[in-house]
PDB file of all heavy atoms in Angstrom:
ATOM      1  N   ASP A 185      21.823 -40.003  23.399  1.00  0.00           N
ATOM      2  CA  ASP A 185      22.100 -40.329  21.992  1.00  0.00           C
ATOM      3  C   ASP A 185      20.954 -40.052  21.105  1.00  0.00           C
ATOM      4  O   ASP A 185      21.143 -39.809  19.898  1.00  0.00           O
ATOM      5  CB  ASP A 185      22.470 -41.826  21.826  1.00  0.00           C
ATOM      6  CG  ASP A 185      23.790 -42.179  22.537  1.00  0.00           C
ATOM      7  OD1 ASP A 185      24.598 -41.187  22.724  1.00  0.00           O
ATOM      8  OD2 ASP A 185      23.978 -43.338  22.911  1.00  0.00           O
ATOM      9  N   THR A 186      19.735 -40.039  21.596  1.00  0.00           N
ATOM     10  CA  THR A 186      18.557 -39.803  20.774  1.00  0.00           C
ATOM     11  C   THR A 186      18.632 -38.468  20.053  1.00  0.00           C
ATOM     12  O   THR A 186      18.479 -38.367  18.851  1.00  0.00           O
ATOM     13  CB  THR A 186      17.263 -39.910  21.596  1.00  0.00           C
ATOM     14  OG1 THR A 186      17.215 -41.175  22.219  1.00  0.00           O
ATOM     15  CG2 THR A 186      16.044 -39.674  20.686  1.00  0.00           C
ATOM     16  N   GLU A 187      18.782 -37.411  20.879  1.00  0.00           N
ATOM     17  CA  GLU A 187      18.821 -36.067  20.236  1.00  0.00           C
ATOM     18  C   GLU A 187      20.088 -35.872  19.368  1.00  0.00           C
ATOM     19  O   GLU A 187      20.101 -35.125  18.443  1.00  0.00           O
ATOM     20  CB  GLU A 187      18.699 -34.962  21.359  1.00  0.00           C
ATOM     21  CG  GLU A 187      17.414 -34.894  21.984  1.00  0.00           C
ATOM     22  CD  GLU A 187      17.239 -33.568  22.709  1.00  0.00           C
ATOM     23  OE1 GLU A 187      18.018 -32.619  22.471  1.00  0.00           O
ATOM     24  OE2 GLU A 187      16.270 -33.441  23.469  1.00  0.00           O
ATOM     25  N   ASN A 188      21.135 -36.563  19.753  1.00  0.00           N
ATOM     26  CA  ASN A 188      22.393 -36.493  18.955  1.00  0.00           C
ATOM     27  C   ASN A 188      22.032 -37.074  17.568  1.00  0.00           C
ATOM     28  O   ASN A 188      22.445 -36.501  16.549  1.00  0.00           O
ATOM     29  CB  ASN A 188      23.458 -37.307  19.611  1.00  0.00           C
ATOM     30  CG  ASN A 188      24.797 -37.085  18.935  1.00  0.00           C
ATOM     31  OD1 ASN A 188      25.001 -36.146  18.206  1.00  0.00           O
ATOM     32  ND2 ASN A 188      25.709 -38.075  19.046  1.00  0.00           N
ATOM     33  N   GLU A 189      21.333 -38.213  17.500  1.00  0.00           N
ATOM     34  CA  GLU A 189      21.021 -38.787  16.244  1.00  0.00           C
ATOM     35  C   GLU A 189      20.036 -37.904  15.459  1.00  0.00           C
ATOM     36  O   GLU A 189      20.147 -37.804  14.238  1.00  0.00           O
ATOM     37  CB  GLU A 189      20.357 -40.153  16.460  1.00  0.00           C
ATOM     38  CG  GLU A 189      21.336 -41.210  17.024  1.00  0.00           C
ATOM     39  CD  GLU A 189      20.651 -42.471  17.394  1.00  0.00           C
ATOM     40  OE1 GLU A 189      19.401 -42.570  17.206  1.00  0.00           O
ATOM     41  OE2 GLU A 189      21.333 -43.481  17.808  1.00  0.00           O
ATOM     42  N   GLU A 190      19.143 -37.230  16.142  1.00  0.00           N
ATOM     43  CA  GLU A 190      18.209 -36.315  15.467  1.00  0.00           C
ATOM     44  C   GLU A 190      18.916 -35.119  14.866  1.00  0.00           C
ATOM     45  O   GLU A 190      18.629 -34.690  13.732  1.00  0.00           O
ATOM     46  CB  GLU A 190      17.165 -35.835  16.483  1.00  0.00           C
ATOM     47  CG  GLU A 190      16.154 -36.895  16.872  1.00  0.00           C
ATOM     48  CD  GLU A 190      15.185 -36.383  17.915  1.00  0.00           C
ATOM     49  OE1 GLU A 190      15.309 -35.230  18.337  1.00  0.00           O
ATOM     50  OE2 GLU A 190      14.258 -37.135  18.273  1.00  0.00           O
ATOM     51  N   LEU A 191      19.958 -34.629  15.610  1.00  0.00           N
ATOM     52  CA  LEU A 191      20.746 -33.505  15.044  1.00  0.00           C
ATOM     53  C   LEU A 191      21.506 -33.917  13.791  1.00  0.00           C
ATOM     54  O   LEU A 191      21.581 -33.240  12.760  1.00  0.00           O
ATOM     55  CB  LEU A 191      21.673 -32.951  16.098  1.00  0.00           C
ATOM     56  CG  LEU A 191      22.603 -31.819  15.624  1.00  0.00           C
ATOM     57  CD1 LEU A 191      21.836 -30.615  15.180  1.00  0.00           C
ATOM     58  CD2 LEU A 191      23.603 -31.430  16.772  1.00  0.00           C
ATOM     59  N   THR A 192      22.103 -35.165  13.855  1.00  0.00           N
ATOM     60  CA  THR A 192      22.820 -35.662  12.732  1.00  0.00           C
ATOM     61  C   THR A 192      21.903 -35.869  11.532  1.00  0.00           C
ATOM     62  O   THR A 192      22.254 -35.537  10.415  1.00  0.00           O
ATOM     63  CB  THR A 192      23.481 -37.020  13.071  1.00  0.00           C
ATOM     64  OG1 THR A 192      24.309 -36.813  14.226  1.00  0.00           O
ATOM     65  CG2 THR A 192      24.294 -37.523  11.932  1.00  0.00           C
ATOM     66  N   LYS A 193      20.702 -36.431  11.832  1.00  0.00           N
ATOM     67  CA  LYS A 193      19.754 -36.612  10.734  1.00  0.00           C
ATOM     68  C   LYS A 193      19.373 -35.251  10.104  1.00  0.00           C
ATOM     69  O   LYS A 193      19.171 -35.158   8.905  1.00  0.00           O
ATOM     70  CB  LYS A 193      18.475 -37.309  11.263  1.00  0.00           C
ATOM     71  CG  LYS A 193      17.434 -37.585  10.245  1.00  0.00           C
ATOM     72  CD  LYS A 193      16.250 -38.301  10.858  1.00  0.00           C
ATOM     73  CE  LYS A 193      15.195 -38.549   9.802  1.00  0.00           C
ATOM     74  NZ  LYS A 193      14.007 -39.243  10.388  1.00  0.00           N
TER      75      LYS A 193
END
Side-chain angles (χ1 to χ4, degrees):
D185 292 337
T186 302
E187 290 199 13
N188 187 24
E189 292 174 358
E190 291 177 356
L191 177 60
T192 303
K193 181 179 178 181

